[in-house]
Amino acid sequence: MPVTLTDLVRPGMRVGLADGCSSPRPLHAELSRAAAAVGDVSLLLGWLPAPAPELDPAAFADAVTVAGGPTLRPWIDSGVVRFVPSRLSAVPSLVSGVLRPDLLVATLVRDPDGYRMAGDAGWARRLVEAGVPVAALVSHTAPHADSGPPLPDAAITVVAESDDPAAGPAEVSTPDPTPDDVAIAEHVAALVPEGARVQVGPGRLAAAMVSALRAPVRIDSGLLPEPVVDLDAKGLLLDDPVCAYLIGSRRLYDWADGRRLLHPVEVTHDVGRLSAAALPPLVALNAALEIDVDGQVNVEGIGARTTGLIGGHPDFAAAGARCVGGLSVIALASRHRDRPTLVSRLSRPVTTASHDVEVVVTERGVADLRGLDRPARRAALVELWGCDPL
């Protein structure tokens, strides 16, 4: 008889759920039912950008995330899922150590030479290569884009196969940019030199910044958003991107199919590699929720409401700042819901330190903080906002 998830889940287990748009959504309901039936099962989550209506974190004795994402926001705020603060470059160490799961549930694709990750490499590949058993959904519609070697067959138990597009990466739409987004993106584009490596995060502003690029660039990023396809069509994409996750529509996933561009987090977020002198300069383009007068950045949330969480923000900001010829850019609108985003005190802990923030961009213009002492940095930020901070 075929093996099912119910056969593999045992009391006392920690089960890891592979993250990104390629999280195995067709297995979410079965995994939740199995955990509820067995009891005393813990759940390890990462970044979940797409809805997961059949995943029930309350079915588990404990649920913890190391990354976040839109799906997890209400669960974190309600206390159903605990958030462990960690920069993404440290996640492989966490999930290989104190949070190591006993079973990983993941979506895979089958190549002629073996199985590979489907659509997202993230931190899950590290666990498979380390011998963590895998309950696999094999998708026949997911892109074949994993750059790594075939995964070890001995670790993999196939519990489902599917030709349904729903077994491939979830399609995540990005809202149209606002006028402020467009203005910010135009300012940012002027900062990106030809041939640079560019990193972007998720969301509407990030997509606008990629769309605004006018010089040929390389993409070296944790996430690969859909506007990269347009960048390629315009002849502005140099080489295949380096990324850990894909986020977009079927158009992006079809474009990525056959391109070996997915790498695990320990590669994509390695600050030493990112800032290496042998590579073209890295321009890190990161958004923020708020910034204080010293240039410290918060991307986790505003007040009690979770919004973003940490992710690779501090990794790429640090890499851009230490890369010779590179740049760490923080981009945000000067106001959010009629309140200035420049504050005297952040409403959440610091995500990215001020010394890793070099240039701040709003729709009003650019504040270049490089080479300035702290009083001059404060003055430049206040001048950019044109008002005193809250």
Side-chain angles (χ1 to χ4, degrees), residues 21-382:
C21 293
S22 295
S23 182
R25 290 168 294 139
L27 298 180
H28 286 179
E30 184 183 351
L31 175 61
S32 299
R33 288 194 299 269
V38 168
D40 193 27
V41 177
S42 298
L43 179 64
L44 171 66
L45 296 165
W47 175 61
L48 290 182
E54 296 188 310
L55 181 63
D56 180 11
F60 298 84
D62 178 56
V64 62
T65 182
V66 292
T71 296
L72 299 182
R73 290 171 188 165
W75 294 340
I76 294 170
D77 288 344
S78 67
V80 176
V81 173
R82 296 185 297 112
F83 168 58
V84 175
S86 173
R87 59 172 67 213
L88 207 50
S89 62
V91 166
S93 174
L94 266 177
V95 301
S96 298
V98 295
L99 293 180
R100 181 184 172 103
D102 304 291
L103 177 70
L104 177 70
V105 183
T107 307
L108 305 182
V109 293
R110 185 186 291 116
D111 283 347
D113 57 352
Y115 294 103
R116 287 184 169 84
M117 303 303 298
D120 299 300
W123 45 266
R125 174 174 260 281
R126 168 81 167 266
L127 292 177
V128 185
E129 292 173 340
V132 172
V134 183
L137 164 67
V138 176
S139 171
H140 302 297
T141 59
H144 294 241
D146 185 355
S147 68
L151 299 170
D153 282 347
I156 297 166
T157 300
V158 176
V159 297
E161 295 200 35
S162 180
D163 294 309
D164 190 334
E171 297 194 62
V172 177
S173 61
T174 301
D176 292 335
T178 66
D180 282 351
D181 294 333
V182 173
I184 292 167
E186 290 298 325
H187 291 310
V188 166
L191 300 171
V192 180
E194 181 174 340
R197 291 175 296 143
V198 173
Q199 172 262 332
V200 294
R204 190 187 66 215
L205 177 54
M209 289 190 288
V210 175
S211 297
L213 294 173
R214 297 293 178 263
V217 296
R218 297 167 175 86
I219 301 295
D220 196 338
S221 187
L223 304 180
L224 191 69
E226 186 151 337
V228 170
V229 181
D230 300 315
L231 203 65
D232 188 29
K234 291 185 286 190
L236 297 179
L237 181 63
L238 302 174
D239 308 327
D240 277 342
V242 174
C243 64
Y245 297 95
L246 303 174
I247 179 167
S249 72
R250 174 54 55 183
R251 177 170 172 258
L252 172 66
Y253 305 141
D254 288 345
W255 177 87
D257 190 37
R259 301 172 188 257
R260 299 302 186 184
L261 45 79
L262 289 172
H263 302 261
V265 163
E266 55 266 33
V267 172
T268 57
H269 290 67
D270 179 0
V271 175
R273 181 193 70 82
L274 289 166
S275 58
L279 296 177
L282 174 73
V283 180
L285 305 178
N286 284 294
L289 295 174
E290 59 183 6
I291 185 169
D292 72 11
V293 289
D294 288 310
Q296 301 180 119
V297 173
N298 162 32
V299 302
E300 290 192 37
I302 300 295
R305 183 173 178 268
T306 299
T307 303
L309 300 182
I310 298 169
H313 200 285
D315 297 319
F316 283 102
R322 68 183 274 187
C323 181
V324 176
L327 196 61
S328 171
V329 178
I330 301 298
L332 71 168
S334 64
R335 302 185 71 82
H336 178 68
R337 295 181 181 175
D338 295 326
R339 292 174 62 86
T341 51
L342 180 67
V343 297
S344 56
R345 183 181 177 88
L346 300 178
S347 61
R348 287 286 188 102
V350 174
T351 306
T352 296
S354 62
H355 53 254
D356 288 329
V357 175
E358 295 187 304
V359 174
V360 177
V361 181
T362 74
E363 76 284 358
R364 295 169 55 88
V366 176
D368 190 338
L369 308 182
R370 290 173 290 180
L372 302 184
D373 62 12
R374 291 203 178 274
R377 288 168 64 95
R378 294 183 189 115
L381 289 171
V382 170

